Amino acid sequence: MPLRLLKFGLVKSYPESRMFRQRDRLRPTYDAVIIGGGGHGLATAYYLAKDHGINNVAVLERGYLGGGNTGRNTTIIRSNYLTPAGVKFYDQSLRLWQALSETLDLNLFYTNRGHFTLAHTEASLRTLRWRAEVNKHYGIDSEVVDPQTVQAACPHMDLDCGGAPVMGALYHAPGSIARHDAVAWGYGREADRQGVEIHQQTEVTGIRVEGGRVTGVETIRGAIATPKVICAVAGFTPRILDWVGLRSPLKIHPLQAMVSEPMKAWLDPIIVSSSLHVYVSQTARGELVMGASLDPYELHSTRSTLDFAEGLAARMLDLFPFLSQAKVVRQWAGMADMTPDFAPIMGKTDIEGFYLDAGWGTWGFKATPICGKTMAETVARDRNHELIREFSLDRFSKYALVGEKGAASVGH
Amino acid sequence: MSQRLDPLPTEWIERDRLVPFSFEGSRYTGYAGDTVSSALWAAGQRVLVRSFKYHRPRGLLSFANHDVNTLMQADSQLSVRADVTPVTAGLNLAAVNTWGGVSRDRASLLNALSAFLPVGFYYKTFHGRFFPFWERTIRKLGGLSAIDPTAPRLRTPKQYDFCDVLVVGAGPSGLAAAIAAAEAGAEVVLVDENARAGGSGSYQLGGDLDQAKQTAELIQMAAAQPRIRQHLQTEAAGYYADGWVPLVEPERMTKLRAKAVIVASGAFEQPAVFHNNDLPGVMLASAAQRLIYRYAVKPMRRAVVLVGNSDGYRAALDLAANGVEVMAVVDLRAVQVSPEAHAIRAQGIPIFSQYGIYAAETNPAQDGVCAAVICPLSDTGEPRLDQRQTINCDGIVVSVGWAPAANLLYQTGTQMRFEERVEQFVPDRLPEGVFACGRVNGVYQFDKKLIDGRRAGLEAAAYLGFAQSVPSPVPAAESESPSHPWPVVSHPKGKNFVDFDEDLQLKDFYHAAQEGFDNIELLKRYTTVGMGPSQGKHSNMNALRILANINNKSPQVVGTTTARPFFHPVPFSHLAGRGFTPERHTPLYSRHLALSAEMVKAGLWQRPEFYRQSGFSRADCIRQEALNVRQRVGLIDVSSLGKLELRGPDAAEFLERLYTGRYQSLKSGRTRYALMLDESGVVMDDGVIARLGPEHFYFTTTTSGSSRIYREISRLALQWRFNCGIVNLTGARAAINLAGPRSQQVLSQLTSADLSAEAFPYLAVREAEVAGIPAILMRVGFVGEWGYEIHVPALSAPALWDALMQAGAADGIRPFGLQAQRLLRLEKGHVIVGLDTDGLTTPAEANLSWAVKSDKPFFLGQRSLAIVGQRSQSKTLVGFTLPASFTGQPPEECNLVIDQGEIAGRVTSIAFSPSLERYIGLAYVPPAQSADGTSLAIRNSDGAMIPATVSSTPCYDPDNRRQKESFLTEAV
Ligand SMILES: Cc1cc2nc3c(=O)[nH]c(=O)nc-3n(C[C@H](O)[C@H](O)[C@H](O)COP(=O)(O)OP(=O)(O)OC[C@H]3O[C@@H](n4cnc5c(N)ncnc54)[C@H](O)[C@@H]3O)c2cc1C
């Protein structure tokens, strides 16, 4: 047993203090206000304070920390994207992830499992090869492998897949999962330690813009003056953009997931099949965390649907027929903010002092550390960080899209 | 030593049917009608599983599947709920997650170490260098059941059903509701997860069978009512929009659509929190009562009964009436004056008022409770230890309160409010068509439940227009709260469990709150309360009370976590159903199989990749098929193409807006290539448009795009309000492409139409009979030879195929597959949308600008193209060849073109051309490298750099003469 746990058994009173302090009041002004206490908002706060010494910052969260998509996501972390901009960006994120538990001194259960994207058709095998080639070019560990390699890594899988046999797979060794909530808590705790104020149950209701620049925000607990606002609200982005009169092509689609009862460990890698619309990994507790593609319609809701659970269960049994009598415990949904090119929207906007971090759709958890890092620098220097230049909002009006659709649609 | 009681009128067991089974390697015998838990308990087995984290011995708690104290595995059957699973002969059970069996679990060492494993301990350590080691250890310890990878796939049928009123729960209020609604005229479905109806009406009796009799009468009335259909052993697993409720039965899932839903799902009894409250023998009162009245099992010999409500007194009476020696009733509240208390006193049972249980003591064998330590409570609920006393017993029965089984109600969108009067959340605002009655509605007394049920039944019936009667008012308030607000007694040694699934103790909640997790959702996520397989049924309410206590707020303000499907976990097999992978076959499927075709998936379609010839390799077969088209004649089944028909005065104008080309000017009897873009100017689909008349077009889409394009076109026709009708003929029509220098010769034998080049020129379309079948014939040349695409009704396709094969026999006709077609078109440099284009390709990049008439007033994507056109183009599609001398591993599609160490482009198509005797392909390259003769370097997947040369397309028959001019006279 690690020595660190000794203190819990040996001391009388519980030796831990609050991870994030409760603040009774909002200050009248902050140097920067971050809307959204998800992973992205909290990470941005942390790096603003840590890297740039800007700690007169408030993170405003309408619910509780990590209660948005951060706490609903299926936590797949990988960097095997398709475009050079995407590959470089996610690769940097992965590097931050690898040390993140230690950086934040909180065990995030970041675990490297390896990631297989299965191909059941020649067409998907082709796209996977494209990804592998781009990845390798940028030094990212990705390779197209044959069905036998898949079988070796996942001996219990039925390669026939209910009539859509596995023809090959993209293997991405760095593919990992982590405990989503802990990421929010870890960033929250360290941001708090750096002096950042975290205000939960504090909904932002308006943004003040005067003469093309941000001057403050309105909240249910009163108004705040600030020259800089960072908007990191995922599925809520369109309404906030409405307030400030910015247009984006974001569309909100529900994204659902479900989880099984815990079982003894039997699945090490993360398995994704975009043709079958299923992906799955097994947590340290032994639950299978499963997801599929987006709901096909726009909807601003986190309700669950039965046909999702039915379809996903059927596809799961195509891959793993022996799970027939295993049980699904729970299903849920988040609101994914989708861009047409499946790449994010980041950085400065036409409104001075209004910074956007959105368009994270189904794939933004893995970007949490690098988003925080690059957004923080962008805000501190008022200049888009080099890694996010291609992700700016104006790419849509300029037709300079970052085509990640082939790499992001089901894999997250 | 059997704990069976003498036969009871209420019992569910059949004493003349013995059922042998085994548990943890020992043999047992139960009766038909027993559950696994009741049979084991009757046999004196006390330790049924080990707990999840500390591996403590556990016995029955809720005996209702509201905890995982009885989670077992029966071979490949995972997570068997022993509480509710009927015993069946030969069942071979074991407790889950033990290290060496339930009686000697080596992992119980963790119990001794628990002080070092505080809430969330795993977040605080194990990271760093040795994490992989720790993770392996944690993964080994985690998890409950173990999979059996050889277990077969179960194909469970699904059923659909409809009703006016669904009543969830067949307890007293549910029965009353169902009867009332049915009598008013509604078709009712009544479901209950138990094997028999009756609910608490058949076992919470207060020592008196009279209530059981009343319940039995209700059950009979419901059974006799023709408008009630009952599903027992059936869980309403969730509530989804529009009244969809999945009913999960042992053998199937029924998807029920109900016009109104009455939730009469009752309440979950809640445990009390005290030291060692998890010892085998400590159980909820309702568990003890079910053991007695359903299974005739004596739950213990000597009991201490901890109560916080009058249900507890009734439970004590039930115990006493059935041979259990009740040592004491310990009431958390002040002295009670009630008929039940009176009856208890009359039996000489001591009542300790304003007392709590401070601790349960474990027996020497460490497998059960042997005594209760009780002590008076101060007015603030603190135990006064100086006055404690120990009462020997082998069981503690707990009746301190309830939590509504409101999962389904929450899912319907019901707003719940905390009602102090009953210390429980009750429905505040129900959505339309949703009703609630009984305990879930805060109504506890038997008579009142019947009234409340009847009220809900009538309201539902009235809502559906069956009953006019004004629903009777909601019954008056309970005289006392059925739940105690603080059934918690702290203990310095802890082990006072709040969540039994997750082994969470009282102090864990205080510690979590101290660390900032003092919001109900954060508390849940940090402590994992309610995240176990029973999803908080026995733990969420106490967790909420504890948090309310910590924050000094009311339960209403603290609120609940979100209730989501499922009510109980649902097997994958039930959700999946029979399971099938949809597949589409063209009408010629059997012809292809008969010709030894190797089939390949193209979207949902199964299409011939090539036709196997014995003695030849795949590559040889493909090569022969291709050469046969070039030299003689071949035919390919292209029935999977999308086939649409458009008629109406606006048809031409509509097409002109959809596609990039001009169709107003297209003459009847002519065809034209059709390219469709999306709104951002990206290539989306292509095909051929044929004009059959002034207001009549017939056109094709790609195979993969067919349904999407049809959908999109239909949408746009509506949006733009065009006066034309679209018919999707994709399935109704089949198509065969007949191609090759002898195609005209072959076809001429089957039709009287004039096939001469003058009468039926290149790109013309004709309607004519072929082999007596009405057909649309298009002279198009995707593969670069003289040819006809022949579209006929699907049913006639086999006849057409046979006729063509027969007519072509003398000319050496052979079918060709997708691979040969790909190769032939590659030789012609024709682009395949989706293969040679991707999600961002513009027409200019794919060399399709010739098909874009930018000066039209409007077409989809036009505005975007104009903007994109101002940017310099970054890539362009070119043909390339490898040297004829190249041997070795050729590049594959999607290998990259590398220029000065950077990615310059990628290969989209490549194949060996038998006509040119070298590898040819298409690739994206920067415009600067697109000139004919430019050298390219392609990087293979293994890193080898392959030199290639840009060469203009088409590389075969550059002037396109073969598809336009007749080669009938040419000798082969
Ligand atoms: C089911 C599902 C599965 C997913 N799987 C993956 C995966 O496997 N891998 C991956 O990388 N990504 C995945 N994602 C995507 C990922 O979860 C998100 O992209 C990412 O978590 C976004 O983080 P965020 O901090 O930007 O947003 P969030 O975590 O959603 O945080 C935004 C916060 O803003 C708050 N907020 C909104 N409006 C206001 C307001 N007016 N005032 C104050 N606060 C406000 C919200 O309450 C919320 O807490 C998945 C998403 C879902 C839904």
Side-chain angles (χ1 to χ4, degrees):
Chain A
M1 183 181 313
L3 291 176
R4 268 201 168 185
L5 292 179
L6 278 183
K7 65 175 176 191
F8 293 102
L10 301 179
V11 299
K12 264 252 143 15
S13 66
Y14 190 62
E16 299 280 338
S17 54
R18 284 190 83 87
M19 284 207 193
F20 5 88
R21 276 166 284 174
Q22 198 132 7
R23 314 276 181 167
D24 291 339
R25 284 207 276 199
L26 293 170
R27 282 186 225 162
T29 63
Y30 291 93
D31 292 342
V33 164
I34 296 171
I35 315 176
H40 287 211
L42 293 165
T44 304
Y46 167 73
Y47 292 110
L48 263 179
K50 179 92 186 176
D51 293 358
H52 305 281
I54 302 175
N55 69 351
N56 181 20
V57 173
V59 178
L60 308 182
E61 166 56 51
R62 69 198 281 273
Y64 58 96
L65 284 198
N69 286 352
T70 298
R72 295 164 199 265
N73 90 98
T74 48
T75 79
I76 295 173
I77 298 165
R78 61 187 177 87
S79 62
N80 55 352
Y81 277 74
L82 186 53
T83 66
V87 168
K88 286 186 214 163
F89 180 78
Y90 292 108
D91 183 43
Q92 286 302 316
S93 203
L94 223 84
R95 285 165 205 267
L96 290 173
W97 273 112
Q98 280 155 1
L100 198 59
S101 288
E102 280 159 281
T103 309
L104 302 177
D105 192 21
L106 194 73
N107 191 346
L108 308 176
F109 274 73
Y110 175 83
T111 139
N112 182 200
R113 298 285 188 81
H115 181 281
F116 287 91
T117 311
L118 308 179
H120 309 265
T121 63
E122 203 201 324
S124 51
L125 200 56
R126 250 189 335 259
T127 316
L128 296 185
R129 186 176 306 120
W130 185 7
R131 273 164 71 182
E133 293 306 311
V134 174
N135 289 177
K136 284 190 286 186
H137 185 83
Y138 292 103
I140 282 152
D141 192 351
S142 280
E143 197 65 74
V144 171
V145 297
D146 58 16
Q148 289 72 41
T149 311
V150 178
Q151 191 81 83
C154 187
H156 302 321
M157 189 159 101
D158 180 359
L159 289 193
D160 184 51
C161 291
V166 174
M167 296 175 63
L170 178 65
Y171 177 56
H172 179 51
S176 299
I177 49 176
R179 173 100 175 93
H180 47 27
D181 294 325
V183 175
W185 304 335
Y187 274 121
R189 182 178 71 176
E190 292 309 301
D192 177 288
R193 282 190 185 160
Q194 305 279 340
V196 169
E197 289 189 2
I198 295 170
H199 295 276
Q200 303 186 67
Q201 267 103 38
T202 308
E203 180 166 359
V204 174
T205 52
I207 296 177
R208 294 191 177 162
V209 179
E210 283 162 35
R213 57 189 310 150
V214 163
T215 59
V217 299
E218 282 148 27
T219 80
I220 54 167
R221 293 166 63 199
I224 304 171
T226 183
K228 295 188 176 197
V229 169
I230 298 104
C231 175
V233 296
F236 294 85
T237 307
R239 19 181 121 163
I240 292 194
L241 292 188
D242 273 354
W243 296 341
V244 294
L246 285 174
R247 274 165 50 101
S248 82
L250 285 174
K251 292 199 157 75
I252 307 299
H253 286 253
L255 177 65
Q256 304 192 54
M258 65 188 197
V259 65
S260 77
E261 282 182 346
M263 21 191 134
K264 289 288 173 199
W266 62 269
L267 178 69
D268 291 338
I270 303 154
I271 304 286
V272 181
S273 165
S274 10
S275 320
L276 294 184
H277 298 295
V278 54
Y279 63 87
V280 57
S281 66
Q282 189 175 22
T283 67
R285 276 167 61 94
E287 301 138 326
L288 298 177
V289 174
M290 301 160 275
S293 28
L294 282 174
D295 287 355
Y297 36 79
E298 286 182 57
L299 187 69
H300 206 104
S301 162
T302 56
R303 59 100 206 73
S304 304
T305 64
L306 180 59
D307 56 341
F308 168 83
E310 294 179 276
L312 181 50
R315 299 285 84 90
M316 279 294 292
L317 293 189
D318 287 343
L319 289 173
F320 308 111
F322 56 86
L323 291 177
S324 293
Q325 303 198 54
K327 293 189 175 103
V328 179
V329 173
R330 188 176 169 91
Q331 59 173 140
W332 68 90
M335 293 184 293
D337 40 337
M338 302 298 294
T339 54
D341 56 359
F342 287 62
I345 305 175
M346 293 181 71
K348 292 170 52 116
T349 63
D350 286 346
I351 296 167
E352 216 174 303
F354 185 76
Y355 305 87
L356 190 57
D357 171 70
W360 284 110
T362 68
W363 54 84
F365 178 66
K366 66 182 68 64
T368 304
I370 192 66
C371 274
K373 193 110 184 150
T374 53
M375 284 303 291
E377 187 186 302
T378 300
V379 172
R381 306 219 174 123
D382 195 33
R383 202 177 61 215
N384 280 343
H385 187 287
E386 192 190 345
L387 276 176
I388 67 169
R389 229 167 256 161
E390 294 184 44
F391 300 147
S392 66
L393 178 59
D394 61 8
R395 76 173 182 276
F396 299 103
S397 48
K398 290 189 186 148
Y399 289 82
L401 303 194
V402 185
E404 285 292 3
K405 193 160 181 170
S409 38
V410 177
H412 305 347
Chain B
M1 130 208 60
S2 172
Q3 306 292 321
R4 290 288 176 185
L5 299 163
D6 291 339
L8 284 161
T10 53
E11 72 187 27
W12 291 3
I13 50 173
E14 299 171 43
R15 294 188 186 239
D16 49 355
R17 287 177 56 203
L18 298 181
V19 181
F21 68 102
S22 72
F23 170 65
E24 294 270 321
S26 305
R27 288 162 194 281
Y28 294 84
T29 309
Y31 294 121
D34 258 328
T35 70
V36 171
S37 292
S38 69
L40 287 172
W41 205 261
Q45 178 66 34
R46 288 292 171 268
V47 183
L48 301 182
V49 298
R50 290 283 172 157
S51 71
F52 175 56
K53 197 155 80 180
Y54 303 136
H55 290 256
R56 290 167 64 87
R58 292 276 167 85
L60 285 187
L61 175 65
S62 68
F63 187 37
N65 186 21
H66 300 157
D67 58 78
V68 290
N69 266 15
T70 59
L71 200 68
M72 299 181 184
Q73 176 152 4
D75 302 321
S76 63
Q77 226 174 308
L78 311 188
S79 55
V80 172
R81 267 67 183 172
D83 282 353
V84 292
T85 304
V87 274
T88 47
L91 205 56
N92 178 26
L93 295 149
V96 299
N97 191 28
T98 65
W99 299 74
V102 78
S103 48
R104 273 178 307 277
D105 184 354
R106 292 192 302 279
S108 54
L109 174 68
L110 288 163
N111 188 34
L113 295 177
S114 64
F116 301 98
L117 306 173
V119 63
F121 67 94
Y122 35 85
Y123 293 122
K124 299 174 196 290
T125 180
F126 303 130
H127 47 294
R129 222 153 29 104
F130 297 110
F131 180 63
F133 163 76
W134 287 115
E135 196 209 3
R136 271 198 302 280
T137 313
I138 291 168
R139 289 190 74 196
K140 242 188 224 130
L141 289 169
L144 296 170
S145 309
I147 59 147
D148 168 6
T150 65
R153 176 162 186 178
L154 300 185
R155 298 190 181 273
T156 314
K158 278 183 201 169
Q159 182 170 295
Y160 289 81
D161 202 352
F162 302 86
C163 68
D164 294 322
V165 179
L166 168 68
V167 181
V168 180
S173 70
L175 285 165
I179 293 167
E183 281 175 351
E187 293 293 333
V188 176
V189 167
L190 174 63
V191 302
D192 197 291
E193 58 179 312
N194 288 286
R196 300 196 192 182
S200 61
S202 324
Y203 62 81
Q204 290 190 316
L205 306 181
D208 176 358
L209 289 172
D210 185 51
Q211 186 192 304
K213 281 201 202 93
Q214 284 187 53
T215 308
E217 281 163 25
L218 275 178
I219 295 173
Q220 264 171 14
M221 271 175 80
Q225 167 55 253
R227 276 193 291 271
I228 298 179
R229 283 181 288 141
Q230 287 193 41
H231 292 247
L232 296 173
Q233 273 195 296
T234 300
E235 298 155 12
Y239 179 96
Y240 298 90
D242 306 322
W244 274 109
V245 179
L247 305 180
V248 176
E249 301 166 60
E251 303 302 332
R252 70 171 66 78
M253 177 166 93
T254 300
K255 294 169 73 174
L256 178 84
R257 172 83 158 73
K259 292 180 191 156
V261 176
I262 300 176
V263 179
S265 45
F268 308 128
E269 187 155 40
Q270 300 296 299
V273 179
F274 55 84
H275 179 62
N276 282 343
N277 61 346
D278 65 329
L279 286 177
V282 181
M283 68 176 77
L284 302 182
S286 51
Q289 289 164 306
R290 274 191 297 269
L291 276 175
I292 293 171
Y293 290 113
R294 287 183 180 172
Y295 306 101
V297 175
K298 194 165 150 182
M300 64 271 305
R301 263 161 299 171
R302 285 185 300 175
V304 169
V305 184
L306 175 66
V307 307
N309 52 25
S310 58
D311 290 327
Y313 285 83
R314 280 193 292 278
L317 291 170
D318 283 328
L319 293 166
N322 289 283
V324 177
E325 190 183 345
V326 179
M327 310 298 291
V329 170
V330 180
D331 195 333
L332 294 168
R333 305 164 302 171
V335 180
Q336 300 291 308
V337 215
S338 66
E340 292 92 349
H342 185 75
I344 289 285
R345 284 193 195 96
Q347 298 204 19
I349 298 169
I351 298 178
F352 294 87
S353 292
Q354 205 165 335
Y355 261 67
I357 294 187
Y358 178 63
E361 285 186 357
T362 179
N363 63 16
Q366 308 253 319
D367 66 355
V369 58
C370 70
V373 180
I374 67 168
C375 61
L377 302 173
S378 73
D379 286 341
T380 56
E382 293 304 315
R384 305 215 324 236
L385 296 180
D386 50 331
Q387 296 174 45
R388 71 178 160 220
Q389 51 180 294
T390 301
I391 305 177
N392 290 337
C393 61
D394 66 343
I396 295 176
V397 172
V398 176
S399 174
V400 294
W402 304 86
N407 188 299
L408 241 48
L409 278 180
Y410 281 110
Q411 286 171 40
T412 64
T414 301
Q415 279 197 9
M416 304 283 284
R417 126 184 84 84
F418 190 79
E419 177 60 64
E420 309 260 345
R421 190 168 52 71
V422 285
E423 277 293 327
Q424 156 181 338
F425 285 93
V426 294
D428 192 28
R429 273 219 319 276
L430 288 157
E432 213 173 281
V434 178
F435 306 88
C437 59
R439 293 189 185 192
V440 80
N441 196 29
V443 177
Y444 277 75
Q445 288 169 29
F446 184 76
D447 305 344
K448 288 184 180 163
K449 282 195 281 201
L450 300 186
I451 298 170
D452 197 35
R454 192 173 159 67
R455 187 257 327 147
L458 288 175
E459 276 184 9
Y463 166 75
L464 296 176
F466 288 106
Q468 308 295 293
S469 72
V470 185
S472 27
V474 185
E478 298 285 327
S479 52
E480 57 142 52
S481 167
S483 294
H484 192 274
W486 190 243
V488 176
V489 173
S490 61
H491 192 287
K493 286 214 181 105
K495 300 287 160 54
N496 34 12
F497 290 93
V498 176
D499 189 314
F500 290 62
D501 286 17
E502 298 285 309
D503 267 356
L504 295 170
Q505 315 169 47
L506 179 60
K507 65 173 185 215
D508 293 334
F509 293 82
Y510 287 88
H511 294 165
Q514 182 178 328
E515 289 189 66
F517 300 93
D518 50 3
N519 157 307
I520 191 74
E521 288 281 1
L522 286 176
L523 183 80
K524 166 180 168 178
R525 285 152 181 271
Y526 190 62
T527 60
T528 72
V529 64
M531 277 165 60
S534 58
Q535 294 278 294
K537 292 187 180 72
H538 71 271
S539 58
N540 279 350
M541 194 59 221
N542 278 337
L544 193 151
R545 290 191 195 283
I546 293 164
L547 184 61
N549 181 276
I550 292 170
N551 288 348
N552 201 10
K553 287 184 177 146
S554 75
Q556 172 74 33
V557 175
V558 169
T560 55
T561 56
T562 317
R564 289 193 174 272
F566 295 103
F567 181 66
H568 288 306
V570 179
F572 277 91
S573 57
H574 281 59
L575 291 169
R578 287 168 54 204
F580 53 88
T581 309
E583 204 172 275
R584 293 187 82 174
H585 294 171
T586 76
L588 298 171
Y589 185 70
S590 60
R591 295 292 184 279
H592 303 317
L593 294 189
L595 289 160
S596 313
E598 284 288 319
M599 304 302 279
V600 62
K601 263 180 123 90
L604 293 182
W605 294 96
Q606 288 285 334
R607 299 191 63 188
E609 194 188 15
F610 68 97
Y611 296 83
R612 194 170 283 291
Q613 302 277 331
S614 60
F616 290 98
S617 69
R618 175 180 188 273
D620 284 343
C621 292
I622 294 166
R623 187 172 308 187
Q624 287 169 15
E625 287 172 16
L627 281 175
N628 202 58
V629 174
R630 292 272 178 255
Q631 292 166 359
R632 297 180 196 90
V633 58
L635 81 174
I636 180 170
D637 176 6
V638 292
S639 304
S640 62
L641 290 175
K643 296 177 282 294
L644 305 176
E645 190 173 36
L646 187 67
R647 287 175 197 261
D650 293 342
E653 156 121 47
F654 183 44
L655 289 174
E656 196 131 322
R657 284 176 165 242
L658 292 173
Y659 286 94
T660 59
R662 277 190 226 286
Y663 302 96
Q664 306 253 37
S665 61
L666 184 66
K667 293 201 187 63
S668 292
R670 301 289 299 177
T671 69
R672 191 165 281 167
Y673 178 70
L675 178 68
M676 188 187 285
L677 311 180
D678 70 9
E679 276 165 357
S680 58
V682 167
V683 174
M684 193 154 73
D685 202 65
D686 71 349
V688 171
I689 294 180
R691 189 165 204 164
L692 299 177
E695 298 186 354
H696 185 194
F697 293 85
Y698 180 78
F699 59 108
T700 60
T701 74
T702 60
T703 295
S704 57
S706 66
S707 47
R708 184 165 36 94
I709 300 298
Y710 171 65
R711 216 164 43 226
E712 182 68 3
I713 291 181
S714 306
R715 184 179 72 81
L716 289 171
L718 278 178
Q719 185 175 325
W720 294 340
R721 295 165 189 272
F722 273 104
N723 185 3
C724 53
I726 308 157
V727 185
N728 188 349
L729 296 173
T730 304
R733 299 204 137 235
I736 294 170
N737 188 8
L738 180 74
R742 297 187 187 173
S743 54
Q744 186 184 2
Q745 149 95 0
V746 172
L747 189 62
S748 67
Q749 300 170 42
L750 299 175
T751 181
S752 54
D754 185 351
L755 298 181
S756 69
E758 301 71 45
F760 191 177
Y762 184 56
L763 296 183
V765 58
R766 296 288 178 266
E767 290 175 274
E769 283 200 350
V770 178
I773 301 160
I776 296 173
L777 302 163
M778 295 190 240
R779 257 203 71 194
V780 288
F782 189 50
V783 297
E785 299 291 342
W786 190 287
Y788 304 89
E789 208 170 276
I790 312 170
H791 292 245
V792 295
L795 284 177
S796 308
L800 175 65
W801 177 273
D802 295 344
L804 289 169
M805 288 292 279
Q806 208 174 2
D811 285 298
I813 196 168
R814 274 180 71 166
F816 63 105
L818 276 182
Q819 287 298 340
Q821 186 192 38
R822 275 223 197 138
L823 166 63
L824 293 165
R825 69 85 209 184
L826 187 56
E827 290 178 338
K828 295 298 295 176
H830 289 312
V831 169
I832 296 183
V833 170
L835 175 66
D836 302 303
T837 67
D838 59 56
L840 290 180
T841 308
T842 61
E845 290 168 344
N847 280 327
L848 292 169
S849 294
W850 60 270
V852 181
K853 304 299 170 212
S854 301
D855 51 348
K856 289 200 298 183
F858 176 85
F859 59 88
L860 267 183
Q862 184 185 34
R863 207 172 62 91
S864 303
L865 272 196
I867 299 168
V868 174
Q870 297 179 354
R871 262 202 343 242
S872 63
Q873 196 176 320
S874 65
K875 59 179 182 180
T876 183
L877 191 66
V878 295
F880 70 85
T881 58
L882 300 192
S885 58
F886 179 82
T887 54
Q889 188 66 35
E892 294 174 285
E893 284 150 2
C894 287
N895 278 145
L896 301 177
V897 178
I898 301 294
D899 182 34
Q900 295 175 11
E902 281 306 314
I903 299 176
R906 79 183 153 104
V907 174
T908 62
S909 291
I910 183 166
F912 186 83
S913 161
S915 307
L916 294 151
E917 298 186 321
R918 64 182 61 199
Y919 283 98
I920 61 169
L922 294 172
Y924 282 101
V925 297
Q929 293 181 22
S930 62
D932 220 6
T934 311
S935 301
L936 298 177
I938 299 171
R939 185 160 68 202
N940 274 3
S941 294
D942 63 7
M945 300 299 287
I946 310 296
T949 311
V950 174
S951 70
S952 64
T953 57
C955 49
Y956 175 80
D957 184 24
D959 303 327
N960 298 329
R961 288 179 51 223
R962 296 179 66 90
Q963 64 221 53
K964 293 180 190 163
E965 295 167 20
S966 178
F967 285 81
L968 274 180
T969 49
E970 196 178 288
V972 177

